[in-house]
Each structure stands twice: as C-alpha cells, then as structure tokens.
Amino acid sequence: MTPHALVRSRVAVAAVVLLAAGAATSCSNASSGGRAEATTKPAALHGVIPDSHTPKPSFQLLDTSGRGFDFAADTQGRTTLVYFGYTHCPDECPTAMADVATALRHTDPAVAKQVDVVFVTTDPWRDNRTVLRKWLDRFNPSFIGLTGTPSQVAGAEVAMGMPISKREAAPKRYGSGKYAVSHFAAVLAYGRDGRVAELFPSGITPADIAADLPVLVKG
C-alpha cells in the first residue's frame, strides 16, 4: 500500500465525520472532530448523508483560463460535485475523476448538462493552470479546474470544513525531491439548493453516482 493510500483511508473517514458535524473551521487535526454519525440515507441516494446539509461556502480561486472563480456564486443553482486533490496523485484522485466521468457518460445528457464538476488542486506548487487543464481533459473537458496560492487553497479547505492538505515525503523509489500530498478524499455533492446532499467516498461505483445525479438535479 502506498503512503497516499494510507492517508486516503485516514482522511476519508475523518472528512465524513467533520462534514457530518457541519464543521466550517480549520481542522489541522482531522481525527479530533465531533462524534456525529451519518444519518440513515434515503433509499434514493447511495453516498454518505451528512447530519447537517451545510451551504456552499464562498471562496475565490483561478480557473484554468486564468479567470477568477467564486465557488458559491459561479455554481449557483447548479448540481455541483467538488473534489480536492492533485494531478501527481498515484491512485485516489484519478480514480475519483474517472468514476465521475464514467457516471456522467452513463447519465441522461439532459441531466448531465446540469452538473458542474469542480476539481481544486491541493498541490499548487506543481499544478499550474496548464498542467491542471491537460490532466482534467483526460477525464472530461468540461471539468472545472481551480488553483491559487498555497494560502488561498488552504483557505478554501477551511471554508469547506476540510482538513488542510499537507505535503509529505514520498518513498525514495519515487526519486529525490518527490513528495505526496495528504488531502480530503471524497467527492462532495451539492444539490441545486446549494447545500451538501451527500459525500461519495472511496469505493463508491460510477453506477451509484450515475443513479444519484438525477435525484440531485431534481432536488
């Protein structure tokens, strides 16, 4: 198991607890969140349902064309899937984006066009706008990529109620100077009302995501 995979399992569980508790403050110690448990999910949804359906926070970053992007304002009235990760991620990030892309391809086009997918890099040191755009295009050219300064990205994570991502040394076999980034490891799904409806953690299938998209768009 790679160091990132170990981080993935730790952060994904902590993230669900934090968001279920409606956290909106800095969480540098991800394991010290509240003890809230996820509620029983409606049969129509396949993800993890948080106890508190918090609204989209407003944070500003740059998209891959260099334009300013306000997460809350620029996705207003749209079903939105958002993921914080990085392009050098060896496992979780490409899997998550591939699963979302596959789900959209198996969704009615009339529904899919009402869904925004936003990917926020947690590695702004390497993920410039060109790198981010090229990587996202492998999955779907419509995916929105956001980047900024390290402090701006950390501020976005705080606004989302996520643990702040951290650079960690990678194994020597990856080469000198290489590093991994520990980060929140789940897709957050917001309904058209602008509130978080569910989380798609690692292991959820594209079929499950595709089944939930019409529900999120309708709701």
Side-chain angles (χ1 to χ4, degrees):
M1 182 179 291
T2 66
H4 195 313
L6 291 171
V7 167
R8 175 178 70 201
S9 61
R10 182 181 73 243
V11 175
V13 173
V16 169
V17 173
L18 287 166
L19 284 165
T25 58
S26 175
C27 303
S28 58
N29 182 359
S31 63
S32 62
R35 296 180 177 272
E37 297 180 356
T39 60
T40 302
K41 62 187 177 186
L45 295 177
H46 298 80
V48 176
I49 309 301
D51 287 333
S52 178
H53 297 277
T54 55
K56 291 177 184 173
S58 178
F59 60 81
Q60 293 79 34
L61 294 170
L62 293 178
D63 66 18
T64 53
S65 67
R67 291 190 294 265
F69 189 95
D70 184 300
F71 178 65
D74 290 334
T75 61
Q76 185 175 6
R78 305 269 300 168
T79 295
T80 306
L81 308 183
V82 60
Y83 187 88
F84 281 63
Y86 66 115
T87 67
H88 286 75
C89 174
D91 40 34
E92 180 65 21
C93 306
T95 298
M97 290 298 96
D99 287 349
V100 170
T102 299
L104 286 170
R105 288 196 300 270
H106 290 84
T107 300
D108 184 337
V111 171
K113 71 179 182 180
Q114 299 181 63
V115 179
D116 284 336
V117 179
V118 179
F119 183 93
V120 182
T121 182
T122 57
D123 186 13
W125 303 275
R126 291 180 293 193
D127 288 345
N128 60 39
R129 291 187 281 117
T130 301
V131 169
L132 190 53
R133 183 71 269 152
K134 183 177 180 180
W135 187 80
L136 288 172
D137 285 348
R138 293 166 46 192
F139 306 104
N140 190 314
S142 74
F143 287 2
I144 299 165
L146 301 181
T147 188
T149 66
S151 61
Q152 287 172 332
V153 171
E157 291 173 310
V158 169
M160 293 290 291
M162 296 177 177
I164 295 175
S165 55
K166 296 180 180 180
R167 290 197 290 184
E168 298 182 345
K172 292 182 179 179
R173 65 178 179 274
Y174 291 154
S176 65
K178 301 294 184 180
Y179 62 87
V181 181
S182 64
H183 62 90
F184 182 100
V187 176
L188 274 72
Y190 288 86
R192 291 176 59 193
D193 62 357
R195 293 183 175 276
V196 64
E198 61 180 323
L199 291 82
F200 297 130
S202 174
I204 198 163
T205 68
D208 288 338
I209 299 173
D212 286 4
L213 291 178
V215 180
L216 295 171
V217 167
K218 182 178 179 180

